[in-house]
Amino acid sequence: MKPGESLISPDQVVITPGYFEAMRIPMVAGRPFDDRDRDSAPGAIIVDERLARHFWPGRSPIGRRMYQPQDINNILKTDEHTRFMTVVGVVRTIHMANVEGNGSPVGAYYMPYAQNVRRGYAFTVKTAGDTRPIVSALRSRFAAVAPSLALLDIHTMEERGDLALASRKASLTLAMFFGCLALFLSAIGIYGVLAYLVTQRQREIGIRSALGCTSGGIVKLVLREAMGLMGAGLVIGGAGAVALRTVVAGELYGVKPLDPMVLSAVIVLLAGVGLAACALPARRATRVDPVIVLREQ
């Protein structure tokens, strides 16, 4: 444990069998809760990967024991009344508190509902297709079993994700617009600069053509030199992306600041624009009569 770190910081979730399957949370090791985890059975607990790495780095947590402190003023104290629980499984770490993953830095643990009865709880239902018939069926079943109970705050996981990101949608949309605009301007700038440099070399291209250089050789020469310039620009741009990764990390969701797919797509796009900017003017220049080019210069 690090200095100043709380022993009771992990997130606690009380669940029933089938919760991980409904939420599509994969088991990494051990087993999920089942009928064996009754009220009269020994205490069982499931931890996520983050909590397992925190307390048992490099070791398997299966079979390890945890306990709930009885005295808030002395959480390390144990006695005959201390309740111990055995780790029976490990699950994948999920974003518990919000979509940004700003939950407990330690992790989370899950306890069976049969051994930790709560007054309030939430239902998780896994279904396929339209959810409206399922909601109607649930309301009817609840009305028949417990008329005094009401189903509130019913949303699909997609809807909950949209609600969590609602306050940031405007800024994200604006950032995406300016990002696309910057990419477009970069492509136009690359094309304009490289095309201008090739046009300035028309006299050289004319001389090479007059000396017997083929059109393919001229295009390869121009592309080879342009690739050097583009390579230098991509290296500088990559260094800038690495330097600014911590700045943009807080504005991203579901995408890493240095996501290889995104960076690869941008590199391919800009490199393609650069190659087109050099190849097209160079190809056009090779079709001009060398005598006319030299006379104009």
Side-chain angles (χ1 to χ4, degrees), residues 123 125 127 130-146 149 151 154:
F123 281 94
V125 180
T127 183
D130 191 2
T131 60
R132 287 174 293 182
I134 301 297
V135 174
S136 300
L138 287 175
R139 291 188 184 277
S140 300
R141 182 61 61 89
F142 265 80
V145 176
L149 295 180
L151 290 177
I154 302 176

PDB file of all heavy atoms in Angstrom, residues 123 125 127 130-146 149 151 154:
ATOM      1  N   PHE A 123     -31.884  -3.762 -11.607  1.00  0.00           N
ATOM      2  CA  PHE A 123     -31.982  -4.941 -12.463  1.00  0.00           C
ATOM      3  C   PHE A 123     -31.187  -4.706 -13.742  1.00  0.00           C
ATOM      4  O   PHE A 123     -31.242  -3.619 -14.334  1.00  0.00           O
ATOM      5  CB  PHE A 123     -33.447  -5.243 -12.819  1.00  0.00           C
ATOM      6  CG  PHE A 123     -34.196  -5.930 -11.723  1.00  0.00           C
ATOM      7  CD1 PHE A 123     -34.946  -5.203 -10.817  1.00  0.00           C
ATOM      8  CD2 PHE A 123     -34.163  -7.307 -11.610  1.00  0.00           C
ATOM      9  CE1 PHE A 123     -35.644  -5.830  -9.807  1.00  0.00           C
ATOM     10  CE2 PHE A 123     -34.851  -7.946 -10.598  1.00  0.00           C
ATOM     11  CZ  PHE A 123     -35.596  -7.215  -9.692  1.00  0.00           C
ATOM     12  N   VAL A 125     -30.913  -6.481 -17.449  1.00  0.00           N
ATOM     13  CA  VAL A 125     -31.562  -7.449 -18.325  1.00  0.00           C
ATOM     14  C   VAL A 125     -30.848  -7.452 -19.669  1.00  0.00           C
ATOM     15  O   VAL A 125     -30.675  -6.393 -20.290  1.00  0.00           O
ATOM     16  CB  VAL A 125     -33.056  -7.107 -18.526  1.00  0.00           C
ATOM     17  CG1 VAL A 125     -33.716  -8.122 -19.450  1.00  0.00           C
ATOM     18  CG2 VAL A 125     -33.777  -7.061 -17.178  1.00  0.00           C
ATOM     19  N   THR A 127     -30.994  -8.538 -23.496  1.00  0.00           N
ATOM     20  CA  THR A 127     -31.998  -8.895 -24.485  1.00  0.00           C
ATOM     21  C   THR A 127     -31.481  -8.580 -25.876  1.00  0.00           C
ATOM     22  O   THR A 127     -30.456  -7.900 -26.024  1.00  0.00           O
ATOM     23  CB  THR A 127     -33.313  -8.138 -24.232  1.00  0.00           C
ATOM     24  OG1 THR A 127     -34.297  -8.560 -25.187  1.00  0.00           O
ATOM     25  CG2 THR A 127     -33.102  -6.634 -24.348  1.00  0.00           C
ATOM     26  N   ASP A 130     -35.679  -5.094 -30.010  1.00  0.00           N
ATOM     27  CA  ASP A 130     -36.402  -3.989 -29.398  1.00  0.00           C
ATOM     28  C   ASP A 130     -36.591  -4.243 -27.907  1.00  0.00           C
ATOM     29  O   ASP A 130     -37.019  -5.326 -27.495  1.00  0.00           O
ATOM     30  CB  ASP A 130     -37.761  -3.827 -30.072  1.00  0.00           C
ATOM     31  CG  ASP A 130     -38.446  -2.529 -29.662  1.00  0.00           C
ATOM     32  OD1 ASP A 130     -37.836  -1.752 -28.891  1.00  0.00           O
ATOM     33  OD2 ASP A 130     -39.591  -2.291 -30.100  1.00  0.00           O
ATOM     34  N   THR A 131     -36.264  -3.233 -27.087  1.00  0.00           N
ATOM     35  CA  THR A 131     -36.365  -3.389 -25.633  1.00  0.00           C
ATOM     36  C   THR A 131     -37.745  -3.031 -25.083  1.00  0.00           C
ATOM     37  O   THR A 131     -38.037  -3.339 -23.925  1.00  0.00           O
ATOM     38  CB  THR A 131     -35.314  -2.512 -24.930  1.00  0.00           C
ATOM     39  OG1 THR A 131     -35.537  -1.125 -25.287  1.00  0.00           O
ATOM     40  CG2 THR A 131     -33.910  -2.911 -25.344  1.00  0.00           C
ATOM     41  N   ARG A 132     -38.592  -2.397 -25.885  1.00  0.00           N
ATOM     42  CA  ARG A 132     -39.890  -1.962 -25.365  1.00  0.00           C
ATOM     43  C   ARG A 132     -40.780  -3.112 -24.909  1.00  0.00           C
ATOM     44  O   ARG A 132     -41.402  -3.018 -23.841  1.00  0.00           O
ATOM     45  CB  ARG A 132     -40.604  -1.104 -26.419  1.00  0.00           C
ATOM     46  CG  ARG A 132     -39.993   0.277 -26.577  1.00  0.00           C
ATOM     47  CD  ARG A 132     -40.629   1.040 -27.727  1.00  0.00           C
ATOM     48  NE  ARG A 132     -40.318   0.421 -29.017  1.00  0.00           N
ATOM     49  CZ  ARG A 132     -40.711   0.909 -30.182  1.00  0.00           C
ATOM     50  NH1 ARG A 132     -41.439   2.017 -30.215  1.00  0.00           N
ATOM     51  NH2 ARG A 132     -40.378   0.310 -31.304  1.00  0.00           N
ATOM     52  N   PRO A 133     -40.876  -4.231 -25.636  1.00  0.00           N
ATOM     53  CA  PRO A 133     -41.681  -5.349 -25.126  1.00  0.00           C
ATOM     54  C   PRO A 133     -41.146  -5.903 -23.806  1.00  0.00           C
ATOM     55  O   PRO A 133     -41.920  -6.313 -22.940  1.00  0.00           O
ATOM     56  CB  PRO A 133     -41.597  -6.387 -26.251  1.00  0.00           C
ATOM     57  CG  PRO A 133     -41.271  -5.595 -27.471  1.00  0.00           C
ATOM     58  CD  PRO A 133     -40.404  -4.490 -27.008  1.00  0.00           C
ATOM     59  N   ILE A 134     -39.820  -5.904 -23.649  1.00  0.00           N
ATOM     60  CA  ILE A 134     -39.227  -6.403 -22.417  1.00  0.00           C
ATOM     61  C   ILE A 134     -39.590  -5.500 -21.247  1.00  0.00           C
ATOM     62  O   ILE A 134     -39.929  -5.968 -20.158  1.00  0.00           O
ATOM     63  CB  ILE A 134     -37.701  -6.503 -22.556  1.00  0.00           C
ATOM     64  CG1 ILE A 134     -37.333  -7.439 -23.711  1.00  0.00           C
ATOM     65  CG2 ILE A 134     -37.075  -6.989 -21.258  1.00  0.00           C
ATOM     66  CD1 ILE A 134     -37.797  -8.856 -23.510  1.00  0.00           C
ATOM     67  N   VAL A 135     -39.540  -4.193 -21.469  1.00  0.00           N
ATOM     68  CA  VAL A 135     -39.885  -3.244 -20.399  1.00  0.00           C
ATOM     69  C   VAL A 135     -41.352  -3.412 -20.002  1.00  0.00           C
ATOM     70  O   VAL A 135     -41.681  -3.418 -18.804  1.00  0.00           O
ATOM     71  CB  VAL A 135     -39.599  -1.803 -20.861  1.00  0.00           C
ATOM     72  CG1 VAL A 135     -40.094  -0.807 -19.813  1.00  0.00           C
ATOM     73  CG2 VAL A 135     -38.109  -1.612 -21.118  1.00  0.00           C
ATOM     74  N   SER A 136     -42.224  -3.563 -20.971  1.00  0.00           N
ATOM     75  CA  SER A 136     -43.648  -3.756 -20.666  1.00  0.00           C
ATOM     76  C   SER A 136     -43.869  -5.036 -19.883  1.00  0.00           C
ATOM     77  O   SER A 136     -44.654  -5.076 -18.909  1.00  0.00           O
ATOM     78  CB  SER A 136     -44.467  -3.785 -21.964  1.00  0.00           C
ATOM     79  OG  SER A 136     -44.322  -2.571 -22.679  1.00  0.00           O
ATOM     80  N   ALA A 137     -43.167  -6.115 -20.271  1.00  0.00           N
ATOM     81  CA  ALA A 137     -43.304  -7.378 -19.552  1.00  0.00           C
ATOM     82  C   ALA A 137     -42.790  -7.263 -18.124  1.00  0.00           C
ATOM     83  O   ALA A 137     -43.392  -7.811 -17.182  1.00  0.00           O
ATOM     84  CB  ALA A 137     -42.564  -8.480 -20.306  1.00  0.00           C
ATOM     85  N   LEU A 138     -41.679  -6.551 -17.933  1.00  0.00           N
ATOM     86  CA  LEU A 138     -41.141  -6.369 -16.588  1.00  0.00           C
ATOM     87  C   LEU A 138     -42.102  -5.566 -15.715  1.00  0.00           C
ATOM     88  O   LEU A 138     -42.310  -5.892 -14.533  1.00  0.00           O
ATOM     89  CB  LEU A 138     -39.781  -5.673 -16.657  1.00  0.00           C
ATOM     90  CG  LEU A 138     -38.609  -6.508 -17.169  1.00  0.00           C
ATOM     91  CD1 LEU A 138     -37.358  -5.636 -17.304  1.00  0.00           C
ATOM     92  CD2 LEU A 138     -38.329  -7.666 -16.226  1.00  0.00           C
ATOM     93  N   ARG A 139     -42.677  -4.521 -16.269  1.00  0.00           N
ATOM     94  CA  ARG A 139     -43.632  -3.722 -15.489  1.00  0.00           C
ATOM     95  C   ARG A 139     -44.841  -4.572 -15.095  1.00  0.00           C
ATOM     96  O   ARG A 139     -45.327  -4.487 -13.949  1.00  0.00           O
ATOM     97  CB  ARG A 139     -44.075  -2.509 -16.294  1.00  0.00           C
ATOM     98  CG  ARG A 139     -42.983  -1.473 -16.511  1.00  0.00           C
ATOM     99  CD  ARG A 139     -43.544  -0.214 -17.137  1.00  0.00           C
ATOM    100  NE  ARG A 139     -42.514   0.763 -17.441  1.00  0.00           N
ATOM    101  CZ  ARG A 139     -42.012   1.616 -16.557  1.00  0.00           C
ATOM    102  NH1 ARG A 139     -42.454   1.604 -15.313  1.00  0.00           N
ATOM    103  NH2 ARG A 139     -41.072   2.484 -16.924  1.00  0.00           N
ATOM    104  N   SER A 140     -45.331  -5.384 -16.001  1.00  0.00           N
ATOM    105  CA  SER A 140     -46.484  -6.237 -15.689  1.00  0.00           C
ATOM    106  C   SER A 140     -46.130  -7.248 -14.609  1.00  0.00           C
ATOM    107  O   SER A 140     -46.911  -7.488 -13.685  1.00  0.00           O
ATOM    108  CB  SER A 140     -46.952  -6.960 -16.958  1.00  0.00           C
ATOM    109  OG  SER A 140     -47.330  -6.033 -17.949  1.00  0.00           O
ATOM    110  N   ARG A 141     -44.946  -7.854 -14.713  1.00  0.00           N
ATOM    111  CA  ARG A 141     -44.546  -8.843 -13.722  1.00  0.00           C
ATOM    112  C   ARG A 141     -44.358  -8.196 -12.349  1.00  0.00           C
ATOM    113  O   ARG A 141     -44.758  -8.764 -11.334  1.00  0.00           O
ATOM    114  CB  ARG A 141     -43.250  -9.517 -14.178  1.00  0.00           C
ATOM    115  CG  ARG A 141     -42.749 -10.605 -13.246  1.00  0.00           C
ATOM    116  CD  ARG A 141     -43.774 -11.733 -13.118  1.00  0.00           C
ATOM    117  NE  ARG A 141     -44.015 -12.357 -14.404  1.00  0.00           N
ATOM    118  CZ  ARG A 141     -43.309 -13.378 -14.860  1.00  0.00           C
ATOM    119  NH1 ARG A 141     -42.323 -13.866 -14.140  1.00  0.00           N
ATOM    120  NH2 ARG A 141     -43.599 -13.913 -16.028  1.00  0.00           N
ATOM    121  N   PHE A 142     -43.760  -7.019 -12.297  1.00  0.00           N
ATOM    122  CA  PHE A 142     -43.584  -6.335 -11.027  1.00  0.00           C
ATOM    123  C   PHE A 142     -44.933  -5.942 -10.427  1.00  0.00           C
ATOM    124  O   PHE A 142     -45.133  -6.036  -9.217  1.00  0.00           O
ATOM    125  CB  PHE A 142     -42.714  -5.085 -11.220  1.00  0.00           C
ATOM    126  CG  PHE A 142     -41.260  -5.318 -10.941  1.00  0.00           C
ATOM    127  CD1 PHE A 142     -40.446  -5.912 -11.894  1.00  0.00           C
ATOM    128  CD2 PHE A 142     -40.697  -4.950  -9.745  1.00  0.00           C
ATOM    129  CE1 PHE A 142     -39.113  -6.138 -11.654  1.00  0.00           C
ATOM    130  CE2 PHE A 142     -39.363  -5.165  -9.486  1.00  0.00           C
ATOM    131  CZ  PHE A 142     -38.552  -5.766 -10.441  1.00  0.00           C
ATOM    132  N   ALA A 143     -45.827  -5.481 -11.261  1.00  0.00           N
ATOM    133  CA  ALA A 143     -47.151  -5.100 -10.762  1.00  0.00           C
ATOM    134  C   ALA A 143     -47.887  -6.297 -10.173  1.00  0.00           C
ATOM    135  O   ALA A 143     -48.642  -6.163  -9.203  1.00  0.00           O
ATOM    136  CB  ALA A 143     -47.969  -4.472 -11.882  1.00  0.00           C
ATOM    137  N   ALA A 144     -47.667  -7.491 -10.733  1.00  0.00           N
ATOM    138  CA  ALA A 144     -48.338  -8.690 -10.225  1.00  0.00           C
ATOM    139  C   ALA A 144     -47.708  -9.189  -8.936  1.00  0.00           C
ATOM    140  O   ALA A 144     -48.405  -9.661  -8.028  1.00  0.00           O
ATOM    141  CB  ALA A 144     -48.297  -9.790 -11.289  1.00  0.00           C
ATOM    142  N   VAL A 145     -46.375  -9.091  -8.838  1.00  0.00           N
ATOM    143  CA  VAL A 145     -45.673  -9.615  -7.662  1.00  0.00           C
ATOM    144  C   VAL A 145     -45.657  -8.616  -6.514  1.00  0.00           C
ATOM    145  O   VAL A 145     -45.912  -8.972  -5.361  1.00  0.00           O
ATOM    146  CB  VAL A 145     -44.228 -10.016  -8.043  1.00  0.00           C
ATOM    147  CG1 VAL A 145     -43.447 -10.469  -6.807  1.00  0.00           C
ATOM    148  CG2 VAL A 145     -44.246 -11.111  -9.091  1.00  0.00           C
ATOM    149  N   ALA A 146     -45.347  -7.360  -6.811  1.00  0.00           N
ATOM    150  CA  ALA A 146     -45.227  -6.336  -5.771  1.00  0.00           C
ATOM    151  C   ALA A 146     -45.796  -5.029  -6.311  1.00  0.00           C
ATOM    152  O   ALA A 146     -45.068  -4.219  -6.882  1.00  0.00           O
ATOM    153  CB  ALA A 146     -43.770  -6.165  -5.350  1.00  0.00           C
ATOM    154  N   LEU A 149     -44.029  -1.620  -5.716  1.00  0.00           N
ATOM    155  CA  LEU A 149     -42.730  -1.312  -6.302  1.00  0.00           C
ATOM    156  C   LEU A 149     -42.895  -0.707  -7.686  1.00  0.00           C
ATOM    157  O   LEU A 149     -43.832  -1.045  -8.414  1.00  0.00           O
ATOM    158  CB  LEU A 149     -41.874  -2.574  -6.401  1.00  0.00           C
ATOM    159  CG  LEU A 149     -41.451  -3.224  -5.087  1.00  0.00           C
ATOM    160  CD1 LEU A 149     -40.600  -4.457  -5.354  1.00  0.00           C
ATOM    161  CD2 LEU A 149     -40.679  -2.238  -4.215  1.00  0.00           C
ATOM    162  N   LEU A 151     -40.680   0.552 -11.300  1.00  0.00           N
ATOM    163  CA  LEU A 151     -39.451   0.513 -12.079  1.00  0.00           C
ATOM    164  C   LEU A 151     -39.116   1.926 -12.541  1.00  0.00           C
ATOM    165  O   LEU A 151     -39.903   2.570 -13.240  1.00  0.00           O
ATOM    166  CB  LEU A 151     -39.606  -0.410 -13.286  1.00  0.00           C
ATOM    167  CG  LEU A 151     -39.701  -1.906 -12.991  1.00  0.00           C
ATOM    168  CD1 LEU A 151     -39.923  -2.679 -14.287  1.00  0.00           C
ATOM    169  CD2 LEU A 151     -38.459  -2.402 -12.294  1.00  0.00           C
ATOM    170  N   ILE A 154     -35.176   3.526 -16.403  1.00  0.00           N
ATOM    171  CA  ILE A 154     -34.961   2.406 -17.318  1.00  0.00           C
ATOM    172  C   ILE A 154     -34.288   2.922 -18.588  1.00  0.00           C
ATOM    173  O   ILE A 154     -34.854   3.758 -19.306  1.00  0.00           O
ATOM    174  CB  ILE A 154     -36.279   1.710 -17.657  1.00  0.00           C
ATOM    175  CG1 ILE A 154     -36.957   1.215 -16.373  1.00  0.00           C
ATOM    176  CG2 ILE A 154     -36.047   0.558 -18.614  1.00  0.00           C
ATOM    177  CD1 ILE A 154     -38.311   0.596 -16.608  1.00  0.00           C
TER     178      ILE A 154
END
